[in-house]
Amino acid sequence: MANLVSFDHATLGYGRRVILSDLTFTIPEGDFLGMVGPNGAGKTTILRAILRTLIPLSGSVTHAPGIRFGYVPQRDQVDYNFPLNVIDVVMMGRYDRIGLGRRPGAVDRKLACASLDHVGILDLADQPLSALSGGQKQRTLIARALVGQPNVLVLDEPTNGMDLVSTTQILGLVRELHERDQLTVLMVSHALNEVANYVERIALVVNGGFRIGTVDEIMSESVLSEMYRIPVDVDNINGHRVVVARRDGQTLPAPNA
Amino acid sequence: MLDAVLLFREALYGALVIGLACSVLGVYVVLRRIVFVGAALAELSSAGIALALWLAGRGWMLGIATHPIALALILTIAGVLFFGAGGSRGRIPPDATIGVTYAVAAAIGIILISKAKTGEAHDIFLQGNILGITRGDTLVLLAVAVPVLLIHAVFYKEFLFISFDRETARTLGYRINFWNLLLYLTLGLVIAFAMQFAGVMLVFNFLVLPAVTGLLLSRSMAGTFFWSILSALVAAVIGFSLSVPFDLPSGPAIIAVSGVLALLAFLVRLAQRR
């Protein structure tokens, strides 16, 4: 599988402030990667470098020629006060293809409808975005990301603030898109337990550290205890892996302390 | 009544041009929650006019001082560059920066105008002097409004996208800073020119109330623009027509009608929900 994104000793940050240093990893074609870590750990910084909106301070981040990202932002990043219908929002995913100063046409509308159908909400095409539930809004944003025919689907905290049912449905949909369409998927989340049971690889961003590997490699008590600096248990319930911090666990010293 | 209105028809045309341009830009101003950026830019523009009048009164820099719009534009564009680039850095919240700009620009404007030798009254400064608009002024307003509206018609899709979801637009290659700045620049241009004639209050009204009316009456962007423009034009015509024969100040009369239209729109929205 060809690498779509390659980090080579990349140091990321803003101005003189370094957030993460010496990152070396790749995202191969067909990958289903979950990037997990607490808020403020640097997930968004890595995401920006992947999406080419942040240039590394040193090292390099290279992208496969012609790569297209389908980006699904956090739901609260979108302003639902705008009087837009679902179809209007989905067509935005084609704006860069339509060109400057030109309006979406019949082809764009047709593709937007196909994309809505793909995520199971074609019947909501002419509904106001503001009238939708959290899960429906998320599907709309996924449809918008897909309508641009991306190589990589990137989702930023797709289940944030959702209940159990919506979370399960959205994660199920994302896995379906990966399996059915062989779409490369990068999913960013702070919820390790949610992501670990859907993705194939995990990138852990915690306490300034970065570790990437298969789910089996990362979901081990030793790795997670070292990264989170707190003793954890990894249990298996009906085939689902669940990470639990030990109730009497003391914070562990940093690995290099 | 009609005769009286016809006597000041140039002023009405000017008010219509200002209402048209502001009501289109106002949709973005309200949706992007930058209502007070509009007010701060209007105050910066008025401070520029006041500075020009003060300089003229002292016989200083007469080249620039005899063209108040030049200084109004300079200060407004400075504000546009500042707010368009994010408006605030560090620990001061953006709305506080807007508030500081508004208060300081308003105070400086009033201080300068009080010391200017042209005898301009403060209330005229605040309310503008819409009845004084001439055909030449209307043509100047048109020369600003038409290109601005054309830019907004051509690049509607771009302005909408960066206003609605800038992060996704950025990932699709949109240069957010450029489009943001262009949006603010068109806003600053319209405000700087409109301020000269309409005053802070009326410009602020045209930037906010028609857009609110549009948002109350429509669930689409096209509908919002339509109702915003229509309500601004209707408010200008009715407010102006009432102000001349009844000897009311034109700006506040237009604002009062805008308020009534917004209230009616609110009632219509309420009725639709039931």
Side-chain angles (χ1 to χ4, degrees):
Chain A
M1 288 285 185
N3 288 329
L4 296 177
V5 183
S6 304
F7 282 65
D8 185 10
H9 299 287
T11 295
L12 306 178
Y14 305 93
R16 290 180 184 172
R17 190 166 150 245
V18 172
I19 305 291
L20 290 159
S21 56
D22 204 28
L23 298 177
T24 298
F25 69 98
T26 58
I27 302 177
E29 200 176 344
D31 199 2
F32 190 2
L33 176 65
M35 195 188 303
V36 183
N39 292 332
K43 301 188 300 290
T44 304
T45 305
I46 298 176
L47 188 63
R48 285 186 176 152
I50 290 171
L51 293 169
R52 291 178 289 207
T53 59
L54 180 74
I55 297 167
L57 299 175
S58 66
S60 67
V61 180
T62 50
H63 296 81
I67 189 174
R68 270 186 74 85
F69 292 101
Y71 175 60
V72 182
Q74 293 188 28
R75 267 180 311 141
D76 57 8
Q77 221 168 274
V78 171
D79 193 335
Y80 297 100
N81 282 322
F82 277 65
L84 293 166
N85 286 342
V86 168
I87 191 83
D88 300 327
V89 176
V90 176
M91 279 195 290
M92 286 178 180
R94 292 194 50 80
Y95 275 8
D96 65 318
R97 289 181 183 268
I98 294 167
L100 270 185
R102 300 179 68 178
R103 298 290 168 90
V107 173
D108 302 301
R109 192 180 169 87
K110 195 175 159 189
L111 288 168
C113 285
S115 194
L116 281 170
D117 196 22
H118 210 60
V119 299
I121 54 166
L122 179 58
D123 54 319
L124 299 177
D126 294 316
Q127 291 294 310
L129 184 68
S130 57
L132 305 187
S133 68
Q136 289 167 335
K137 282 175 183 160
Q138 199 62 40
R139 281 174 190 262
T140 303
L141 297 179
I142 292 172
R144 182 180 68 174
L146 294 175
V147 80
Q149 294 161 326
N151 310 95
V152 187
L153 179 66
V154 179
L155 304 103
D156 193 359
E157 301 280 3
T159 58
N160 220 3
M162 281 188 189
D163 62 17
L164 188 64
V165 175
S166 300
T167 296
T168 309
Q169 287 174 343
I170 289 298
L171 292 176
L173 170 67
V174 173
R175 186 156 71 180
E176 192 186 323
L177 290 170
H178 167 69
E179 288 172 355
R180 187 176 61 189
D181 305 340
Q182 279 85 51
L183 194 61
T184 306
V185 176
L186 167 61
M187 188 157 62
V188 175
S189 174
H190 65 276
L192 180 59
N193 283 328
E194 281 177 12
V195 170
N197 290 296
Y198 287 87
V199 301
E200 291 161 4
R201 292 202 308 151
I202 294 176
L204 214 51
V205 191
V206 187
N207 297 326
F210 180 84
R211 193 134 175 190
I212 189 166
T214 63
V215 174
D216 287 338
E217 287 166 351
I218 297 296
M219 292 295 279
S220 78
E221 288 171 1
S222 60
V223 168
L224 294 175
S225 295
E226 183 191 321
M227 290 294 284
Y228 282 98
R229 295 181 202 162
I230 190 167
V232 301
D233 291 319
V234 180
D235 294 325
N236 195 311
I237 304 171
N238 295 332
H240 293 270
R241 265 174 281 218
V242 180
V243 180
V244 184
R246 285 182 201 150
R247 197 175 297 172
D248 57 348
Q250 299 292 312
T251 305
L252 302 175
N256 54 356
Chain B
M1 181 168 158
L2 187 62
D3 288 345
V5 172
L6 286 175
L7 189 65
F8 292 104
R9 63 180 178 278
E10 295 301 336
L12 176 60
Y13 297 154
L16 289 172
V17 174
I18 293 170
L20 173 67
C22 288
S23 62
V24 171
L25 298 180
V27 172
Y28 291 104
V29 169
V30 171
L31 282 173
R32 290 177 60 133
R33 299 181 174 88
I34 54 168
V35 163
F36 288 100
V37 170
L41 289 179
E43 284 297 355
L44 279 171
S45 175
S46 70
I49 295 169
L51 180 60
L53 294 173
W54 182 74
L55 289 171
R58 301 203 150 236
W60 294 345
M61 296 174 69
L62 283 174
I64 199 165
T66 47
H67 297 96
I69 186 63
L71 279 175
L73 264 178
I74 289 170
L75 287 193
T76 310
I77 299 298
V80 160
L81 293 173
F82 179 65
F83 292 122
S88 181
R89 295 280 183 274
R91 293 159 62 186
I92 309 297
D95 57 342
T97 315
I98 295 165
V100 168
T101 309
Y102 177 87
V104 172
I108 288 174
I110 290 169
I111 289 169
L112 288 173
I113 206 79
S114 71
K115 291 297 174 189
K117 292 180 180 171
T118 51
E120 297 273 344
H122 300 171
D123 58 338
I124 292 288
F125 188 61
L126 189 66
Q127 294 173 18
N129 181 20
I130 209 154
L131 290 181
I133 294 180
T134 63
R135 171 159 294 193
D137 296 333
T138 304
L139 291 175
V140 169
L141 285 169
L142 273 173
V144 174
V146 170
V148 162
L149 292 177
L150 273 175
I151 287 172
H152 275 267
V154 172
F155 299 119
Y156 161 74
K157 172 170 113 274
E158 285 72 24
F159 287 134
L160 174 67
F161 201 5
I162 62 126
S163 301
F164 174 68
D165 182 2
R166 69 164 62 189
E167 280 308 312
T168 304
R170 202 192 302 273
T171 66
L172 289 182
Y174 279 80
R175 290 160 61 200
I176 304 299
N177 289 343
F178 169 78
W179 291 109
N180 229 11
L181 205 59
L182 186 59
L183 180 66
Y184 274 79
L185 198 63
T186 55
L187 183 63
L189 269 176
V190 167
I191 287 175
F193 278 89
M195 254 302 301
Q196 285 190 99
F197 312 107
V200 176
M201 239 167 40
L202 186 56
V203 170
F204 188 55
N205 162 74
F206 275 141
L207 281 174
V208 179
L209 276 165
V212 168
T213 305
L215 284 166
L216 285 168
L217 289 176
S218 177
R219 288 182 179 169
S220 71
M221 286 300 290
T224 301
F225 279 115
F226 172 79
W227 286 110
S228 179
I229 292 168
L230 188 68
S231 67
L233 299 184
V234 167
V237 171
I238 296 178
F240 194 85
S241 303
L242 290 175
S243 72
V244 176
F246 294 107
D247 195 25
L248 300 170
S250 303
I254 293 171
I255 296 169
V257 177
S258 295
V260 170
L261 292 176
L263 182 65
L264 287 174
F266 176 69
L267 294 174
V268 169
R269 182 67 174 258
L270 272 185
Q272 283 173 343
R273 279 188 184 170
R274 286 181 181 174

